[in-house]
Amino acid sequence: MATLATVTANALIFSGMTSIAVILPSFQDEFDVSRGAVNWVVIGALLPIAALVTVSGRLGDLFGRRRLFVAGMILYGLASLVCALTPSAGLLIGGRLLQGIGAALVLPLALTNLTEMLPAAHRGWAVSTMAAGTTVATTIAPLLLAFLVTSSGWRWLFWTDVSVSLIVIAVARRYVIETRGPPGQSLDLRGVLLLSAGLAFVVLACERSDYWGIRHFGTLGLFASGLLLLGAFVRFEYRVADPLIDLRQLRNATISASLTCLATMQGAALAVTVFLMLYLQQVIDLTPAVAGLLMLPGALGALLFFPLAGRLTDRGSARWLLVGGLLAGAAAMIWLSSGADRGEGPLLIPPLVILGAATACVYIPASTLTLTHLPEQSRGVAAGLTIEARQIGGVVGLAVLTALLTALEWRSRDRLLSRSDTDFTVAQQEAIDSLLFEDARSPLVTSMPPELRSAPVAAANEAFVDGLQGVLLTGAAGLAVTALFAALAIHR
């Protein structure tokens, strides 16, 4: 029952990050808000997780891991209730921020509580069990919630969160054993503030760069502020007696390589999920349900390999499992890139299965190596680091690859429209280009005469494919470089 509570909590929060996409059109229609407000419904929960997840691991070590885990679930449930009852867009975004804070408490402590109840020899199995449960939830939940939201309204997504949170709280209070770090530790409040603020600024800069541009003074100001705060954090941590994160331990090549593998794979996998869903619906013109079904084999590949990855990790094969998973992921992304211009969704299924298997071969050994190479009293922080690496890798990786896709897409679309036989004025071409960047199937585009509509729509689709191929090849290169680093850094 304790395993059920921790795995369910982890799966609930991760599935919520993907399922939120289901409600965004309905939310925008009901409150008549801009695209920026819609994006903040997504990013509002990611920022607190990225900024606070390591802090919550230390809080659990100090004040009790079960106690903080339950407190996080209570906060997550209350925030979900606020979102379900919200009368305005602003309150919904505020509720999502609170959900992110609750999730930041729950995610590392769910893994820590699970591993603390098992002997060290079975921690690979524990990580694979949690990862398998999370994968099932993040795969099935969006499809089920799509039908629920269609029939009953978008607020039911949050009512579901409230119901599951209540069940997890009840089970955890009764069956999860309370553990904590050894006595005598203290909370590094200054380190908490510096780390949280620095990460928040960096993540916010990545999110804003998609709208302001990389060279905008606002983006550069946020990046500079975040880097300065993180630099101050590093300097302070070396001087304090009981630091939030003992940075000397991060000099361990195994830990550094493991966290890098987690971040790189998460960024690549998240980018594939987001961009392929757009490709399947906008370019191939599939319905959301059919597009979701085509993405399902990727999750099945992960499910099939999670148990095997856990067993191989427990037997000491983590290094080669990591390297092989990263190289398989790179090969899968190259395969996806070569098949993207054919316009046939089923052809993408084999590389998606390989990519899903590759994520299992990376997440399990990398998480386990981080947990086992840090001392017992830092187990909560170690779990936080694994979540932190994945969150930062996902957010930063997606922001960077989105900027790359946008740049490639704009350049390709300008080239395609400039050689079109249709006689557009410069002003008309710029207006159509801007319109297509927002939505190639907006009422204004679809109401145009066919002889005018075909050229810009075809250019938009071809330009998106060009950008997608560039992103997939860039992601593959990143995975290959990370595989080389892991092979050199991890010795056993």
Side-chain angles (χ1 to χ4, degrees):
M1 294 299 290
T3 301
L4 178 64
T6 53
V7 172
T8 301
N10 200 71
L12 171 68
I13 291 172
F14 273 112
S15 64
M17 296 177 189
T18 56
S19 301
I20 194 67
V22 174
I23 75 162
L24 295 181
S26 301
F27 158 73
Q28 187 172 22
D29 291 341
E30 179 170 333
F31 294 112
D32 191 23
V33 294
S34 66
R35 182 181 174 186
V38 172
N39 288 331
W40 269 105
V41 173
V42 179
I43 203 69
L46 295 178
L47 278 174
I49 295 174
L52 300 175
V53 71
T54 303
V55 175
S56 66
R58 171 53 64 90
L59 290 173
D61 291 340
L62 291 173
F63 303 114
R65 293 159 182 158
R66 185 189 68 175
R67 179 182 299 174
L68 266 294
F69 172 78
V70 172
M73 284 306 308
I74 292 174
L75 180 58
Y76 189 85
L78 291 174
S80 301
L81 182 62
V82 170
C83 294
L85 298 174
T86 181
S88 67
L91 193 57
L92 177 60
I93 294 173
R96 289 286 291 166
L97 287 168
L98 290 176
Q99 274 192 324
I101 296 174
L105 288 173
V106 171
L107 289 175
L109 296 176
L111 179 59
T112 305
N113 280 308
L114 179 59
T115 56
E116 284 297 312
M117 292 182 291
L118 297 171
H122 296 289
R123 282 174 184 152
W125 173 87
V127 174
S128 65
T129 299
M130 181 163 286
T134 301
T135 301
V136 171
T138 54
T139 302
I140 298 176
L143 296 176
L144 296 179
L145 289 170
F147 291 104
L148 180 62
V149 168
T150 301
S151 60
S152 304
W154 62 267
R155 297 175 188 271
W156 278 95
L157 182 147
F158 298 108
W159 284 119
T160 303
D161 289 344
V162 173
S163 302
V164 178
S165 296
L166 290 174
I167 296 172
V168 171
I169 291 167
V171 174
R173 286 175 60 88
R174 181 170 182 179
Y175 293 101
V176 175
I177 301 172
E178 182 65 276
T179 61
R180 64 183 68 197
Q185 298 186 78
S186 61
L187 181 61
D188 177 14
L189 291 176
R190 187 180 300 182
V192 169
L193 294 175
L194 290 173
L195 178 62
S196 301
L199 288 175
F201 277 122
V202 170
V203 174
L204 185 59
C206 292
E207 190 272 336
R208 288 285 90 190
S209 66
D210 189 31
Y211 302 95
W212 294 342
I214 295 294
R215 299 179 181 179
H216 189 274
F217 72 93
T219 303
L220 296 176
L222 288 172
F223 266 123
S225 301
L227 292 177
L228 285 174
L229 288 169
L230 292 176
F233 168 76
V234 171
R235 184 176 181 181
F236 178 75
E237 292 298 284
Y238 276 113
R239 297 182 177 182
V240 69
D242 192 8
L244 178 67
I245 300 175
D246 189 350
L247 298 177
R248 290 181 294 272
Q249 294 172 347
L250 296 182
R251 294 174 181 173
N252 184 308
T254 297
I255 296 175
S256 299
S258 299
L259 296 177
T260 302
C261 292
L262 285 172
T264 307
M265 178 55 79
Q266 181 72 7
L270 184 58
V272 168
T273 300
V274 172
F275 297 143
L276 276 189
M277 284 296 289
L278 293 174
Y279 168 79
L280 293 173
Q281 295 181 60
Q282 294 181 2
V283 178
I284 303 184
D285 202 21
L286 301 178
T287 64
V290 175
L293 289 174
L294 283 176
M295 296 293 290
L296 188 62
L300 295 179
L303 282 175
L304 291 174
F305 273 80
F306 271 132
L308 176 62
R311 288 195 295 270
L312 291 176
T313 298
D314 288 337
R315 294 176 183 176
S317 302
R319 178 193 182 194
W320 296 116
L321 199 60
L322 269 175
V323 174
L326 290 166
L327 292 178
M333 295 186 76
I334 294 173
W335 190 346
L336 287 171
S337 175
S338 66
D341 58 351
R342 300 183 184 181
E344 298 181 19
L347 294 178
L348 304 178
I349 292 178
L352 284 174
V353 173
I354 295 174
L355 184 62
T359 59
C361 293
V362 172
Y363 291 160
I364 303 306
S367 300
T368 305
L369 285 172
T370 304
L371 285 169
T372 55
H373 278 73
L374 282 174
E376 184 85 18
Q377 64 268 24
S378 300
R379 191 63 47 76
V381 174
L385 285 174
T386 63
I387 305 297
E388 183 83 55
R390 290 183 59 176
Q391 288 300 313
I392 294 296
V395 174
V396 175
L398 183 60
V400 171
L401 292 177
T402 298
L404 174 62
L405 185 143
T406 301
L408 295 174
E409 187 181 10
W410 273 97
R411 186 179 65 179
S412 179
R413 187 181 298 137
D414 288 341
R415 173 178 53 81
L416 293 167
L417 284 176
S418 65
R419 72 186 189 196
S420 171
D421 295 332
T422 306
D423 294 327
F424 293 113
T425 66
V426 174
Q428 287 173 332
Q429 182 171 320
E430 290 179 351
I432 291 173
D433 200 46
S434 299
L435 180 64
L436 290 174
F437 180 68
E438 294 292 332
D439 186 1
R441 287 161 180 78
S442 68
L444 184 55
V445 173
T446 56
S447 65
M448 295 171 62
E451 64 272 12
L452 293 179
R453 183 174 67 239
S454 59
V457 170
N461 290 338
E462 187 174 343
F464 183 86
V465 171
D466 289 343
L468 175 62
Q469 290 178 315
V471 164
L472 291 173
L473 292 176
T474 301
L479 292 177
V481 171
T482 306
L484 177 62
F485 174 48
L488 296 174
I490 302 173
H491 299 292
R492 294 188 62 182

